[in-house]
Amino acid sequence: MDFKEHVIELIMNITELDRETVEKSIEIPPDEKMGDFAFPCFPLAKVMRKAPPLIAQELAEKMSDDEAIDKVQAVGGYLNFFLNREKFISETINAVEKAEDKWGSSDMGNGKTVLVEYSSPNIAKPFHIGHLFSTAVGNSLARIYKHLGYDVQSLNHLGDWGTQFGKLISAYKRWGDSEVIEKDPINELLKIYVKFHEEAEKHPELEDEARDYFKKLEEGDEEVTALWKHFRDISLVEYQRVYDMLGVKFDSYNGEAFYSDKMDEVVEILRDKKLLVESDGAQVVDLSELNIPPCIVLKSDGATIYATRDIAAALYRHRTYDFYKNIYVVGIPQSLHFKQIFEVMKKADWEWAKGCEHVGFGLVKLPGKNMSTRHGDVVLLEEVLNESIEKTKEIILSNGSAVDNVDDAAKKIGIGAILYTFLKNSREKDIIFSWESMLDFEGESAPYCQYGYARGRSILRRAEGIDFKNADFSKTVSDEEYALVKQLNGFADAVKAAADKNEPFYINRYVTNLTKAFNKFYNTNPILKDDVDAETKKARLAIVDAAVSVIRIALGLLGIDTVESM
C-alpha cells in the first residue's frame, strides 16, 4: 500500500477537492509527535464557509474508521494523520524483501533514453582530482536514472582535439624520449607540455609551430596523425586504470575528434536557416534578444570552435540515440557556453534540443591557488585514491578488525570515503582540497554508512538459522523501529528527487539519515539477547535485513561499495 496515496484519496473522497490541490497541500509535519501527514483545511474555508479549526474537527470525526490510519487529530486548522504503525511496518518490510535490488526503483523511464556525458579528461594530461567531480556526479546520475528504468548511455566526451595537440606534438618532436614516455606516459607528456609553455614565453614563434602541427593533424598528415593516435591510446590505458578503481564504465569514448568531420553540415544547416551573421569577420548566431553574447560558429579564419563541435555532437546523439535527455556534467564555468549552444539549437527549430541539460558543478581548489596543467600544479587522482586506500588499511590493521580480506575492504572503504566527500553537498559548491577532510572517517562519511551496513550483516550472520520471513510486527512498533521503517519507505522519493534535480546529494543525505536511524534502532532495541522473545526477535531481524539491503542499494547509487565486516 502507498500510505501517502491512501491519505490523499481519503481527503479527496471526504472533501471533494481535486487531486492536484490535495497533493500540493499535504505536508510532512516538522515534529513526529504531530503525526505522519498533515493537511491544512484553509482551502476549504471559502467553500464550507467555516473557520479552518471547525472544518478540521468536523473532518477528523468522519475519518476515524480506517484500517491504515490509527487516528486523525484536528489541531488548529490542520488535520494530522497518524498511521497504523503495525500495518505500515509490516507492509513496508515485506515490500522491501519482495523488491530486493529493485527497492526504490520505478518504471517511469521505460522506453526513454538518457545520455549522461561526464568525466571527459583531456588526453595526454594527468587525471587529476578535479576530474573526480564530473566523474563522481556523472556516474551517480547514470546509476540513479537506470534505477528509475531509463535506458542510460554513459558518454566520455574526450578532449582529444584542438591546438593543444599541436603544442604537444611540437614538444614531443623537440624534447620527447619515446622510451621514457612509454614507462610513465602521462607524467612525461605533462613534463614536455609544461616545458613547451615555458619555452613559448621566451620564444613566441613556438606558438606558430604548434598551430602548423595542428593544421597538419586536421589535414590528416600521416606522421602527425600517428603521433596523435599514440598519445590517445596510451592515455586511455592510464585512465582506464583509474576508472576500474572507481567502478566506472562508459558506453562511448567518442571525443571531440570524432565530430571533426561532422561540423560542416552544422554550418550549412545554420546558414540555410539564415541564422549566421558576420561579426568582425566571424560567423555567429545573434542571441542579443536573450541578453546572451553571440555564439561563434566560425572564427574569422574560418576555423570551427567548441560550440560548433558540441552542436555537431548533439545532432549526432539525437540521430543515434533519439534521447529523452542529453545531460552534460561539466563545470559551472561553462554555463554560458551551454546556454549559447542550447539556444542556437532551439533557433534551428530542433524540438529535441529541449532535452539537453547542463548539470554544472563547482571547482576543486588547492589551498591558496587553482590547479593548472599548463604550469604543472595538479593533484593526481590516482595518488589520492591510493593514499586513501593505504590510510584505511592502516586503520583496519591498527584496530584489529576481523576483516577477511583487508586489501579489498581498504579499497572499498578508502575510495568510498573520497566519493562521499564529493557527493555530500550540492554539486554547485566548491571543494577545497584537503587530505584531512577527504580522509576523515568520523561523523557523516562513507565509512560511517559502510560500518552501519557491516554491523547489520554481522547481526544477520549471528542469527543464521532463524527464519524471520513472514514475521509478526505487532511487537515492533517502538519510536525507533517506526522511524527506521519510515526512512526505508522514503527511499523512492529520494531517488526521484535526485533525478528531478540532477543532485546525487539527495541520495547521500538519505543514506546517512537511514544509517543514523538504523544505529539508533540497533542501540535501543535488543535483537539477539536471550530475554527477547522469539517473535520479536524475528521481526527485528526482518527490519535489520531490510535496512542493510537499502543501505547497500543507496550507496551503490553513489558508486560506493559495501563491505561485510569492518
Side-chain angles (χ1 to χ4, degrees):
M1 174 187 287
D2 184 330
F3 285 82
K4 182 178 180 180
E5 179 64 23
H6 181 76
V7 171
I8 289 171
E9 289 183 358
L10 192 62
I11 295 170
M12 286 171 56
N13 291 338
I14 205 164
T15 64
E16 297 186 358
L17 289 172
D18 62 272
R19 173 175 292 277
E20 183 178 1
T21 301
V22 177
E23 284 184 343
K24 285 183 177 179
S25 301
I26 199 164
E27 304 170 0
I28 304 294
D31 187 339
E32 291 182 357
K33 295 178 181 178
M34 299 169 66
D36 301 296
F37 299 103
F39 178 75
C41 295
F42 305 102
L44 295 167
K46 288 185 179 179
V47 178
M48 299 180 69
R49 297 189 178 186
K50 293 180 182 178
L54 292 176
I55 297 173
Q57 187 64 48
E58 184 179 314
L59 295 179
E61 293 171 1
K62 295 179 180 179
M63 294 182 181
S64 58
D65 186 21
D66 187 283
E67 63 172 6
I69 309 296
D70 184 49
K71 61 181 177 180
V72 181
Q73 285 184 343
V75 180
Y78 284 81
L79 280 176
N80 291 345
F81 294 83
F82 294 78
L83 299 181
N84 180 317
R85 289 190 174 189
E86 180 186 345
K87 185 175 181 61
F88 179 84
I89 292 173
S90 175
E91 293 207 9
T92 301
I93 298 301
N94 289 331
V96 174
E97 178 192 338
K98 184 177 180 180
E100 296 181 330
D101 287 350
K102 296 292 186 181
W103 181 247
S105 66
S106 167
D107 60 2
M108 64 187 293
N110 283 0
K112 297 175 182 176
T113 298
V114 170
L115 311 181
V116 187
E117 176 195 307
Y118 60 99
S119 195
S120 308
N122 292 320
I123 66 167
K125 291 184 180 179
F127 205 153
H128 59 72
I129 190 68
H131 290 118
L132 185 57
F133 220 150
S134 172
T135 306
V137 171
N139 180 48
S140 181
L141 288 178
R143 291 168 181 243
I144 289 165
Y145 277 103
K146 283 180 184 176
H147 204 63
L148 293 174
Y150 293 92
D151 174 18
V152 177
Q153 297 291 311
S154 293
L155 313 180
N156 196 334
H157 187 76
L158 295 171
D160 60 359
W161 204 245
T163 55
Q164 68 265 35
F165 294 101
K167 296 176 183 179
L168 184 60
I169 291 166
S170 171
Y172 180 82
K173 291 181 75 68
R174 284 176 174 273
W175 309 295
D177 184 326
S178 59
E179 290 186 10
V180 174
I181 289 173
E182 287 302 317
K183 292 177 183 177
D184 190 7
I186 301 298
N187 289 328
E188 290 302 323
L189 289 175
L190 175 63
K191 284 181 183 178
I192 62 172
Y193 182 75
V194 170
K195 184 171 183 177
F196 176 90
H197 284 279
E198 291 171 347
E199 292 297 318
E201 289 180 3
K202 296 179 282 187
H203 306 285
E205 63 272 14
L206 285 177
E207 298 285 356
D208 295 328
E209 181 177 285
R211 279 189 285 271
D212 288 340
Y213 274 122
F214 182 59
K215 189 170 185 294
K216 287 182 179 181
L217 182 59
E218 287 185 303
E219 294 169 348
D221 179 271
E222 188 173 335
E223 180 191 9
V224 172
T225 300
L227 271 177
W228 169 83
K229 188 176 185 305
H230 179 60
F231 296 155
R232 189 181 192 276
D233 290 345
I234 61 177
S235 297
L236 283 176
V237 170
E238 294 292 300
Y239 297 155
Q240 191 59 52
R241 188 169 62 248
V242 178
Y243 289 136
D244 288 344
M245 292 177 75
L246 295 169
V248 171
K249 295 181 180 179
F250 292 97
D251 300 292
S252 169
Y253 285 89
N254 289 339
E256 293 179 50
F258 179 80
Y259 302 104
S260 61
D261 63 351
K262 299 171 176 58
M263 291 183 284
D264 289 345
E265 181 190 5
V266 167
V267 175
E268 287 306 310
I269 290 173
L270 298 179
R271 184 171 283 133
D272 290 345
K273 291 179 177 287
K274 302 189 185 321
L275 292 174
L276 292 181
V277 295
E278 186 175 329
S279 176
D280 296 328
Q283 294 293 305
V284 307
V285 177
D286 181 29
L287 301 172
S288 57
E289 76 276 14
L290 300 168
N291 292 319
I292 298 175
C295 179
I296 301 173
V297 176
L298 291 176
K299 294 192 289 187
S300 57
D301 61 0
T304 56
I305 64 168
Y306 285 119
T308 328
R309 285 194 283 275
D310 277 347
I311 294 170
L315 181 59
Y316 172 84
R317 292 173 185 179
H318 163 66
R319 290 169 173 171
T320 304
Y321 302 104
D322 189 24
F323 57 76
Y324 169 69
K325 281 188 179 184
N326 179 24
I327 295 171
Y328 300 82
V329 185
V330 181
I332 289 174
Q334 295 299 315
S335 295
L336 176 59
H337 166 76
F338 284 106
K339 282 181 184 177
Q340 289 174 314
I341 65 169
F342 293 166
E343 291 302 331
V344 169
M345 292 189 290
K346 289 173 184 175
K347 277 179 169 285
D349 295 325
W350 292 339
E351 181 66 20
W352 48 266
K354 68 179 183 295
C356 295
E357 298 181 26
H358 173 219
V359 173
F361 56 87
L363 299 174
V364 181
K365 299 177 179 179
L366 298 173
K369 59 182 177 180
N370 291 327
M371 288 183 288
S372 169
T373 53
R374 179 173 295 184
H375 297 100
D377 298 326
V378 295
V379 176
L380 301 182
L381 176 55
E382 190 171 7
E383 290 182 2
V384 174
L385 297 176
N386 284 329
E387 177 76 12
S388 185
I389 292 168
E390 285 305 310
K391 182 174 178 64
T392 303
K393 185 174 180 179
E394 291 173 9
I395 294 172
I396 292 173
L397 293 175
S398 65
N399 288 344
S401 303
V403 176
D404 293 334
N405 188 328
V406 173
D407 289 335
D408 181 65
K411 180 181 177 182
K412 290 176 178 177
I413 298 167
I415 291 176
I418 302 295
L419 288 172
Y420 184 100
T421 300
F422 276 76
L423 299 174
K424 71 178 180 180
N425 295 313
S426 168
R427 53 182 163 74
E428 295 188 350
K429 293 187 69 173
D430 291 345
I431 291 178
I432 304 297
F433 181 83
S434 161
W435 284 108
E436 185 177 348
S437 62
M438 291 278 181
L439 303 178
D440 179 12
F441 293 175
E442 300 298 325
E444 296 183 357
S445 64
Y448 172 78
C449 298
Q450 290 166 315
Y451 182 70
Y453 173 85
R455 173 186 273 184
R457 291 294 301 153
S458 174
I459 293 169
L460 294 172
R461 285 193 296 273
R462 287 188 282 124
E464 189 174 356
I466 299 177
D467 182 7
F468 51 80
K469 307 301 179 186
N470 302 312
D472 175 7
F473 295 95
S474 61
K475 295 182 179 180
T476 54
V477 294
S478 70
D479 289 347
E480 295 79 20
E481 288 159 328
Y482 187 50
L484 174 56
V485 178
K486 282 176 73 175
Q487 281 287 338
L488 297 175
N489 188 262
F491 185 42
D493 289 339
V495 178
K496 188 174 182 302
D500 287 345
K501 294 181 172 59
N502 290 316
E503 281 280 19
F505 100 92
Y506 281 95
I507 303 295
N508 195 304
R509 183 173 62 189
Y510 169 84
V511 72
T512 303
N513 289 335
L514 173 59
T515 307
K516 287 179 180 177
F518 174 70
N519 285 339
K520 191 172 183 181
F521 153 78
Y522 170 84
N523 288 321
T524 55
N525 294 273
I527 299 170
L528 295 178
K529 288 187 177 180
D530 293 339
D531 58 352
V532 178
D533 67 85
E535 290 306 313
T536 301
K537 190 174 295 184
K538 289 179 183 179
R540 287 178 179 165
L541 284 171
I543 293 173
V544 171
D545 188 54
V548 297
S549 175
V550 180
I551 290 173
R552 176 180 53 79
I553 297 168
L555 286 174
L557 294 185
L558 298 173
I560 298 172
D561 291 324
T562 51
V563 291
E564 292 298 303
S565 58
M566 285 178 69

